[in-house]
Amino acid sequence: MKPAINKLGTLDCDLVETNPVVFNHRLYRFEYVRPGYGPNDTGDSYFRFVDWQTQQPTAAFGAGHHLGCAFVDGSTAYVTCVDIWDGEHLLLFVSQDLEHWERQSILHLPGWGLFNTSLCRTDDGYVLMFEVGKPPQVAGQRFTARFATSPDLRQWCLTPDECNYSRDRYTAPHCLRYANGWYYNFYLEAHEGYEQRVVRSRDLIRWEASPLNPVLRADSNDRRIARVGLDEASR
């Protein structure tokens, strides 16, 4: 039987790249705040975490960076991102307290166009999945998942060209997870609108699609409102 995912309602509008993490035993929602987000009066993009219990945001960081994705390992929080849309640099922000952040470089890939990222821990290190829009000989159909590995989150190595998913169609990667020897890629596929699907692989080369796809698709529940303080215009 296909598991049920209950959509509990909308929390906000125009916050797109978000993901949940647990840091120091508290649940947070990481948010990438774009310049066009209504309450953003800074004129620039930035990142923040929102405490699920108090709904209070942490101090903004990463001004001018884009398409962030949060990951927690032990007592350290990480955010992977790009410095510009369709740019050549993959970057990492590191913090022990969600307030003070150190910026590090992951990879510089000249001529490539980079977008969304997702980081996970494996049995022997870490794997970063990232979205490639160009060049055509690398990406094929925009946007394709490529991968980099690291033993310590400081030294990074791009995986071979055959480690990808998938050049033949739109398969925008958004979330990478690892469990029991399998990598799980939750991605967006253009099929009767945009649907979230999942494939899995042991080697990042050969992929098996879930027989229960799609995982999520748009429906009327997306218009439910779950946030009490959502302003009238957003409602």
Side-chain angles (χ1 to χ4, degrees):
M1 180 178 294
K2 188 170 183 175
I5 296 176
N6 296 319
K7 297 180 180 180
L8 303 182
T10 291
L11 296 172
D12 211 337
C13 297
D14 296 326
L15 285 171
V16 184
E17 279 75 18
T18 67
N19 69 286
V21 293
V22 175
F23 182 75
N24 287 343
H25 308 291
R26 294 186 71 86
L27 177 62
Y28 290 87
R29 182 177 67 252
F30 168 80
E31 297 181 343
Y32 160 44
V33 181
R34 299 187 184 187
Y37 173 61
N40 181 5
D41 57 6
T42 70
D44 208 345
S45 60
Y46 61 86
F47 304 138
R48 68 184 180 188
F49 289 79
V50 177
D51 186 298
W52 181 253
Q53 285 187 318
T54 67
Q55 291 300 301
Q56 293 301 306
T58 62
F61 67 98
H65 292 75
H66 301 277
L67 301 170
C69 187
F71 167 74
V72 172
D73 190 22
S75 60
T76 306
Y78 302 88
V79 172
T80 52
C81 64
V82 296
D83 55 350
I84 61 172
W85 285 57
D86 211 13
E88 302 176 341
H89 293 272
L90 292 167
L91 301 164
L92 182 69
F93 283 88
V94 184
S95 177
Q96 303 290 328
D97 58 8
L98 303 186
E99 298 293 335
H100 304 88
W101 293 89
E102 172 193 351
R103 194 184 84 152
Q104 301 173 6
S105 175
I106 295 177
L107 288 174
H108 178 210
L109 300 170
W112 289 32
L114 308 175
F115 296 87
N116 281 294
T117 59
S118 182
L119 178 63
C120 73
R121 185 170 185 171
T122 68
D123 296 330
D124 54 4
Y126 304 85
V127 174
L128 176 70
M129 177 172 70
F130 56 94
E131 194 176 53
V132 180
K134 66 180 182 185
Q137 63 269 27
V138 173
Q141 177 68 38
R142 293 158 60 99
F143 298 90
T144 294
R146 286 293 304 266
F147 304 90
T149 61
S150 173
D152 56 7
L153 292 171
R154 290 188 176 273
Q155 305 173 70
W156 290 91
C157 180
L158 182 67
T159 59
D161 181 69
E162 63 263 32
C163 298
N164 70 79
Y165 192 84
S166 172
R167 292 191 177 105
D168 64 339
R169 64 195 191 283
Y170 181 101
T171 53
H174 284 163
C175 177
L176 183 68
R177 294 293 181 263
Y178 179 84
N180 302 320
W182 290 95
Y183 296 95
Y184 293 84
N185 170 16
F186 292 83
Y187 71 96
L188 202 62
E189 179 147 344
H191 177 76
E192 298 180 1
Y194 290 103
E195 297 177 343
Q196 187 175 61
R197 300 183 174 214
V198 61
V199 291
R200 69 176 186 173
S201 173
R202 292 192 182 275
D203 58 9
L204 303 176
I205 300 172
R206 293 171 289 272
W207 296 89
E208 172 188 350
S210 170
L212 302 180
N213 279 332
V215 176
L216 283 172
R217 59 158 56 104
D219 62 31
S220 59
N221 286 324
D222 296 315
R223 296 186 178 276
R224 296 175 61 188
I225 298 172
R227 179 179 164 193
V228 173
L230 196 63
D231 65 78
E232 192 60 33
S234 297
R235 287 173 176 270

